[in-house]
Amino acid sequence: MQLTLWTYEGPPHVGAMRVASAMRGVHYVLHAPQGDTYADLLFTMIERRDTRPPVTYTTFQARDLGGDTADLFKRSVRDAYERFKPEAMLVGASCTAELIQDDPGGLARACNLPVPVVAVELPAYQKKENWGAAETFYQLVRAFAGPHVPPPGTPRTAREPGDTSRRPRANLLGPTALGFRHRDDVREICALLGRLGVDVHVTAPLGASAADLARLGEADFNIVLYPEIAGQAAAWLERNFGQKAVRTVPIGVTATRNFIAEVAALAGVDAAPLLGEQTSRLPWYSRSVDANYLTGKRVFVFGDATHAIAAARVAADELGFAVVGLGTYSREFGRELRAAAALHGVEPLISDDYLDVEAAITAAQPDLVLGTQMERHIAKRLGVPCAVISAPVHVQDFPARHAPQMGFEGANVLFDTWVAPLMMGLEEHLLTMFREDFEFHPEAAASHLGATTQAAARSAENSRMDATPEGAGARALRWAPDAEKELGKIPFFVRGKARRNTESFAALQGLATITVETLYDAKAHFAR
Amino acid sequence: MTIAALLPEIPGCGAAPRIAASDAGRATVTTAEVTTAKVTTAKVTTERGQREVFCGLTGIVWLHRKMQDAFFLVVGSRTCAHLIQSAAGVMIFAEPRFATAIMEERDLAGLADMNDELDRVVTQLVARRPDIKLLFLVGSCPSEVIKLDLGRAAQRLSRRMMPDVRVLSYSGSGIETTFTEGEDACLASLVPELPAQAPDAAPSLLVAGALAEAVEDQFSKLFAGLGIARVAYLPPRRACNLPAVGPNTRVLLAQPFLAGTARALQERGAALLTAPFPLGAEGTTEWLRAAATAFGVNADRFETVTALPAQRARQAVARTGARLAGKKIFFFPDSQLELPLARFAAREMGMQIEEIGTPYLHRQHLAPELALLGDDVRIVEGQDVDRQLDRCRAARPDLTVCGLGLANPLEAEGLATKWSIELLFTPIQGYEQASDLAGLFARPLARRELLKV
Ligand code: SF4
């Protein structure tokens, strides 16, 4: 039993819904009680989809449990088929139906529908949303591409480099409904591939039909955009069709360039023209003098593994930030995240416990948080700027404009959205210059953080500090009132750092009380 | 429907909850003090099929705001946690006063283990939150199906943690409760805990059903004006301030979905007043009148106290709701507030009712509403969402009141909608809120007139 306040991922059947809703002509019959229909609102409200998700719920009640829930399930399957006439049926159980052990797959097959039925078993008490999406996609790919697998030993008829009869073609795998910027990433990557001279054969699951899945094996290779969702299906396609997979996730300028080179190598096309173009503004913006102030900004990164690892890399290598924390809620990708954390020299945080994440962020005292909507709330309480880089999604993560995370345009978007919450460089200089001005009193916050956040953040900081054992340790150091006052004169955006440095200096010196002298000794100490 | 009434006989659906969610059969109304209502013959059809309604866990979203020293621990699955989180919409609170103990594979191996696990989680929770005075263990479908006896667990934990923390239990599971029935189950679980009134206590009024504080304050003032001095509310703002109950308590339901709570209060000897619900000027007046009659307030005094605010409410509704006269409205089942809302829409805004869907119809508690609605309205109890959508599309109502899963798809088909959940989260009861209520209905249409894209 796990005590949970907020969850980063829904149950696995929500992952299946994300796949079914992304596709065309697939209908999902879910054995579930009425309350589980809440999941519809994720699609209609958060993603603002204009149709209901293609899902029928059996909505069995307590009284049905004594009777025949299996019969109810069969009735639902038949009715759903009659009404929606899908090309393929997906069937499964939610957490409650898993316990009553009807067999959705067997029951649906017994209905003898004239369309293929794919049963997905998603263990609701072990697995979560992304796993559910991956498993569902994998099962669908197997079901529809499976019949086209060449007999073992058949040599793969690869497209010859320089073959002019057709362009090389790739499948784009992984985008789903309710995905973080999947819609925009797909458009961006399709455009990039077009400029390379590579055709997109099938994009799946987003926009694909069952018939499209059947054609997956015809592509020359696969591109795994979201490993959390498409990794397993791509591995199966590789084993059965001999299709290689591009697994570099094109987030950030360098990764995008590597991605292009990798695609070009597999496609047998020349990447040089595209790589020779000045395609993203990020490198120049990052080198421009105004970006100097970004140097060493402490950034805490948390999200799904793919986005978190990519964000940490971009933050460090392309923006010159210092990564002070890196974590993910995707336990399945713990190994990858640990490797990335080692690269940045930080402790990996692999947890889906919101309170752990909050404690880690509070302790790290970052200047910027790159996280999910949950971290956005943590950051707001701490008065720290935040940009969202990953699901779980919120209605704000479906902006009206084109705002990809991937490709060169994606890199531009990252620059803008991560830098905007920080203060402009010039603004920071002016603040330092005028800090004695009455308008820059110690309580003044940056205008874009709102008038009240500073005080709130300070009280949040205090209460949190007092509540945690580490905080108690830090508070054993007493700040003399005049030192506290002096600290208040330091602009808020460096105050946290000053407090942290002074306290660690004082601890180093074995001091119990921090005076104004200590403050300036510490400043000198760290100025070296 | 009466799901819960059938529970004890049903194998495989867990410990019979002490709260029967919607048991019409056993509810008895003390006729002596009932506002007499003409019994109507409105055609009520029952429909069975896919329901598109939240489960009772959703009530936690507003109940935890209402009772500020109570904590709600759902014992359930990741789905349950995700439902509350999604229904709450945004995640604003650092540590909300609700959480889910998510059952995992290894918990399902054996029951003894499960109780130990629950104790461990509760201990962990209480250590984190010393401010908790009342802890609700909230049952879910999974906990009911595996017969986890939360009632016993609550007693065990209560014994261990009293007097610091009182532990109660109720079920918000989707196999037994729809949406607002979670509040009913929660309040019903509080009733046995209410202190007993002295047998010779002066008559007092108990208003049952969560209301916004501003609304409570307005009602308190009106009751004071009527000379009804002893008024208490259930749930109280602080769970440690439970109102007393006894044979001299008169209960006025502020919400139509409190079947179990009403019955539990009657079992404590309280007398139930039946009235229309306090939505709109008319509903509010009749609701207050039920109390006035029970407390022997004379007609002149009642007139003096209510005439002015009722007049103000009528005028405000007329202004706000002007564009709604003659417009067609269609209600999908959601909160059980559908009947009183439809009565308000029809009688105070002149709307034409196409269909009133309701997840459950408590015929006694809603008799006054049925009487006001008249005979020729279509009421559908239960749901088959696809067939209901067919009817809705065919009727082409000017306004459709429906849940969040249906609203945008219907808008995309050209139908104006109002999310029903907003009618639950917004204060709509009483005179001063009548025009806000009208505004909730009017805004979708006003917006359509404004938009030129
Ligand atoms: S319907 Fe049942 S399983 Fe689903 S969220 Fe509600 S209580 Fe949990």
Side-chain angles (χ1 to χ4, degrees):
Chain A
M1 219 175 249
Q2 194 199 354
L3 181 62
T4 307
L5 300 187
W6 302 116
T7 70
Y8 285 93
E9 291 182 73
H13 71 257
V14 167
M17 285 182 70
R18 288 176 52 188
V19 172
S21 303
M23 291 183 64
R24 290 179 293 122
V26 173
H27 196 90
Y28 185 22
V29 178
L30 183 65
H31 208 12
Q34 62 184 341
D36 293 9
T37 60
Y38 81 87
D40 284 358
L41 79 86
L42 304 172
F43 298 88
T44 62
M45 297 302 289
I46 294 180
E47 196 175 6
R48 291 193 177 91
R49 289 198 155 236
D50 59 2
T51 51
R52 295 170 64 210
V55 181
T56 293
Y57 306 80
T58 56
T59 63
F60 58 85
Q61 302 177 0
R63 63 171 171 197
D64 300 317
L65 295 179
D68 201 350
T69 49
D71 204 54
L72 172 62
F73 183 80
K74 287 204 306 209
R75 218 165 41 238
S76 302
V77 168
R78 280 194 211 100
D79 289 354
Y81 175 74
E82 275 314 310
R83 178 172 282 272
F84 299 104
K85 292 278 176 354
E87 291 160 23
M89 270 288 199
L90 199 59
V91 297
S94 78
C95 54
T96 309
E98 185 181 332
L99 296 173
I100 60 178
Q101 297 185 333
D102 289 333
D103 166 23
L107 293 171
R109 275 188 293 276
C111 293
N112 284 319
L113 299 183
V115 294
V117 172
V118 180
V120 278
E121 276 185 38
L122 307 173
Y125 299 92
Q126 295 173 33
K127 302 294 189 183
K128 291 178 278 185
E129 179 178 332
N130 279 336
W131 187 90
E135 173 70 11
T136 304
F137 184 48
Y138 166 65
Q139 293 296 350
L140 285 168
V141 167
R142 274 188 61 162
F144 293 103
H148 305 280
V149 170
T154 315
R156 178 159 178 81
T157 47
R159 178 182 171 276
E160 291 300 322
D163 178 353
T164 49
S165 67
R166 69 168 175 89
R167 305 208 318 170
R169 48 192 184 222
N171 297 317
L172 274 191
L173 304 180
T176 63
L178 214 65
F180 185 77
R181 305 293 168 82
H182 289 192
R183 173 198 76 187
D184 299 345
D185 287 345
V186 166
R187 182 173 139 194
E188 199 56 29
I189 297 305
C190 285
L192 210 58
L193 295 174
R195 287 164 67 188
L196 266 176
V198 175
D199 286 339
V200 176
H201 187 59
V202 171
T203 301
L206 194 62
S209 65
D212 291 333
L213 297 189
R215 299 190 295 121
L216 281 171
E218 298 165 5
D220 297 305
F221 60 99
N222 291 314
I223 292 172
V224 180
L225 283 187
Y226 306 101
E228 273 89 346
I229 291 157
Q232 198 184 358
W236 182 86
L237 288 167
E238 181 149 13
R239 278 198 308 279
N240 290 279
F241 288 97
Q243 290 170 317
K244 297 238 173 346
V246 175
R247 288 176 186 273
T248 297
V249 176
I251 296 180
V253 175
T254 307
T256 300
R257 294 176 65 86
N258 293 343
F259 171 85
I260 290 170
E262 220 177 304
V263 167
L266 280 181
V269 298
D270 185 9
L274 182 53
L275 290 178
E277 288 174 33
Q278 179 55 43
T279 35
S280 168
R281 295 189 185 92
L282 184 146
W284 167 239
Y285 275 32
S286 222
R287 284 174 193 282
S288 74
V289 289
D290 190 68
N292 253 317
Y293 77 102
L294 298 175
T295 312
K297 286 278 184 205
R298 299 162 57 82
V299 54
F300 190 102
V301 186
F302 193 85
D304 69 21
T306 300
H307 285 89
I309 292 170
R313 193 182 51 234
V314 173
D317 297 347
E318 303 186 13
L319 289 163
F321 292 156
V323 175
V324 296
L326 175 58
T328 184
Y329 55 81
S330 319
R331 289 184 184 277
E332 295 91 341
F333 288 76
R335 198 167 43 85
E336 287 85 342
L337 188 110
R338 272 189 285 273
L343 224 59
H344 295 285
V346 295
E347 271 297 303
L349 172 64
I350 298 165
S351 172
D352 55 0
D353 187 334
Y354 173 79
L355 295 174
D356 284 353
V357 181
E358 182 175 48
I361 294 179
T362 309
Q365 303 196 8
D367 301 313
L368 175 68
V369 174
L370 300 176
T372 73
Q373 289 293 336
M374 314 260 238
E375 284 67 48
R376 192 169 66 88
H377 286 289
I378 295 172
K380 207 182 202 170
R381 277 194 303 281
L382 298 176
V384 177
C386 177
V388 175
I389 58 157
S390 158
V393 289
H394 181 269
V395 68
Q396 287 175 352
D397 299 321
F398 294 90
R401 68 181 188 285
H402 180 57
Q405 301 287 290
M406 293 183 174
F408 293 123
E409 185 57 24
N412 293 340
V413 169
L414 297 188
F415 185 92
D416 287 349
T417 45
W418 297 4
V419 167
L422 296 166
M423 213 162 320
M424 291 291 93
L426 203 55
E427 197 182 345
E428 185 162 336
H429 291 305
L430 291 174
L431 259 178
T432 313
M433 205 190 290
F434 291 113
R435 70 174 172 210
E436 299 300 335
D437 191 294
F438 73 95
E439 284 197 68
F440 293 89
H441 56 85
E443 302 296 316
S447 51
H448 64 288
L449 289 180
T452 54
T453 48
Q454 251 345 79
R458 280 180 345 116
S459 65
E461 180 195 13
N462 291 342
S463 60
R464 246 148 251 297
M465 281 304 189
D466 294 344
T468 58
E470 309 87 71
R475 284 291 164 274
L477 278 169
R478 209 180 57 82
W479 281 76
D482 55 340
E484 190 81 55
K485 213 170 138 199
E486 196 66 20
L487 184 69
K489 291 180 191 162
I490 298 172
F492 74 89
F493 45 85
V494 284
R495 201 179 301 144
K497 190 172 172 186
R499 180 188 285 279
R500 204 167 47 240
N501 285 351
T502 309
E503 285 174 358
S504 62
F505 175 78
L508 214 66
Q509 304 288 310
L511 301 173
T513 306
I514 293 169
T515 61
V516 179
E517 284 309 302
T518 323
L519 187 64
Y520 285 104
D521 285 348
K523 186 172 186 235
H525 175 81
F526 285 103
R528 288 170 303 158
Chain B
M1 189 180 72
T2 64
I3 309 165
L6 296 167
L7 274 174
E9 294 89 55
I10 295 170
C13 67
R18 286 171 302 131
I19 301 95
S22 315
D23 179 358
R26 281 172 52 206
T28 50
V29 178
T30 38
T31 42
E33 284 162 338
V34 171
T35 311
T36 45
K38 176 174 76 83
V39 174
T40 175
T41 51
K43 293 168 287 297
V44 181
T45 336
T46 304
E47 203 169 43
R48 284 201 69 182
Q50 181 187 321
R51 291 167 157 262
E52 182 86 18
V53 188
F54 291 153
C55 61
L57 295 185
T58 324
I60 292 171
V61 175
W62 63 88
L63 287 168
H64 90 280
R65 303 286 296 146
K66 181 76 197 172
M67 279 182 275
Q68 309 228 332
D69 51 354
F71 194 100
F72 295 79
L73 180 67
V74 176
V75 182
S77 66
R78 183 165 299 280
T79 317
C80 307
H82 202 228
L83 162 111
I84 304 176
Q85 180 166 321
S86 307
V90 281
M91 297 154 273
I92 328 163
F93 315 108
E95 288 207 40
R97 285 186 307 279
F98 56 81
T100 309
I102 295 185
M103 303 192 295
E104 293 163 316
E105 193 71 4
R106 60 194 174 83
D107 300 315
L108 297 168
L111 268 182
D113 184 25
M114 188 83 104
N115 280 306
D116 292 347
E117 281 291 291
L118 184 58
D119 290 8
R120 179 182 61 77
V121 166
V122 169
T123 309
Q124 187 187 348
L125 182 70
V126 171
R128 277 198 75 85
R129 301 294 300 262
D131 53 321
I132 300 173
K133 293 284 167 278
L134 173 61
L135 174 65
F136 289 101
L137 301 180
V138 187
S140 65
C141 305
S143 77
E144 300 292 345
V145 168
I146 64 163
K147 303 181 201 286
L148 182 60
D149 190 341
L150 291 182
R152 252 204 12 234
Q155 281 171 14
R156 180 180 67 237
L157 287 161
S158 236
R159 267 198 307 277
R160 215 181 71 201
M161 296 189 295
M162 285 285 262
D164 300 333
V165 187
R166 185 203 312 252
V167 186
L168 298 176
S169 77
Y170 72 90
S171 172
S173 84
I175 55 176
E176 289 157 35
T177 61
T178 76
F179 198 17
T180 47
E181 286 173 337
E183 174 175 334
D184 183 31
C186 172
L187 299 189
S189 79
L190 275 174
V191 172
E193 306 298 313
L194 304 183
Q197 233 170 22
D200 56 348
S204 64
L205 180 67
L206 180 64
V207 177
L211 293 169
E213 296 192 355
V215 175
E216 274 182 16
D217 293 344
Q218 288 166 20
F219 284 151
S220 294
K221 246 177 90 186
L222 287 164
F223 288 129
L226 294 171
I228 304 173
R230 277 168 294 272
V231 182
Y233 294 86
L234 184 72
R237 295 180 193 183
R238 299 194 67 80
C240 51
N241 284 338
L242 291 175
V245 67
N248 293 321
T249 307
R250 307 287 175 269
V251 176
L252 198 50
L253 299 181
Q255 303 282 10
F257 42 75
L258 298 176
T261 307
R263 196 170 52 250
L265 286 166
Q266 287 172 311
E267 279 162 13
R268 295 284 309 266
L272 187 67
L273 312 178
T274 308
F277 291 89
L279 299 179
E282 181 184 42
T284 304
T285 303
E286 292 313 306
W287 187 76
L288 291 170
R289 193 190 309 279
T293 309
F295 283 80
V297 178
N298 75 41
D300 286 349
R301 182 161 189 183
F302 185 76
E303 241 351 84
T304 318
V305 172
T306 58
L308 201 72
Q311 177 61 19
R312 193 164 57 219
R314 272 192 299 273
Q315 279 166 354
V317 168
R319 255 195 323 275
T320 319
R323 60 161 44 82
L324 296 175
K327 295 274 198 282
K328 295 188 287 184
I329 188 165
F330 191 109
F331 288 87
F332 276 79
D334 202 52
S335 61
Q336 292 190 38
L337 278 165
E338 294 81 12
L339 260 75
L341 286 171
R343 181 261 302 155
F344 167 74
R347 293 175 61 95
E348 297 191 38
M349 297 193 296
M351 296 187 81
Q352 187 187 322
I353 296 167
E354 286 294 326
E355 173 167 330
I356 309 173
T358 185
Y360 174 71
L361 180 63
H362 193 293
R363 284 163 178 76
Q364 274 96 335
H365 291 176
L366 285 147
E369 296 285 357
L370 286 165
L372 292 171
L373 273 166
D375 297 345
D376 52 352
V377 309
R378 182 163 70 209
I379 299 175
V380 178
E381 185 185 20
Q383 189 173 27
D384 180 330
V385 68
D386 289 312
R387 279 163 58 195
Q388 197 157 31
L389 280 166
D390 290 344
R391 291 198 299 275
C392 179
R393 288 175 183 127
R396 301 243 22 118
D398 298 293
L399 186 64
T400 304
V401 183
C402 62
L404 295 171
L406 300 176
N408 268 336
L410 286 174
E411 290 278 354
E413 292 179 28
L415 296 170
T417 61
K418 171 76 251 146
W419 325 334
S420 42
I421 199 163
E422 203 178 351
L423 296 160
L424 217 76
F425 290 168
T426 314
I428 54 170
Q429 292 82 3
Y431 290 127
E432 312 310 332
Q433 282 63 241
S435 87
D436 299 343
L437 177 54
L440 288 177
F441 287 119
R443 196 176 310 130
L445 298 185
R447 181 162 182 76
R448 296 188 142 229
E449 284 166 26
L450 280 174
L451 292 182
K452 302 289 185 291
V453 294

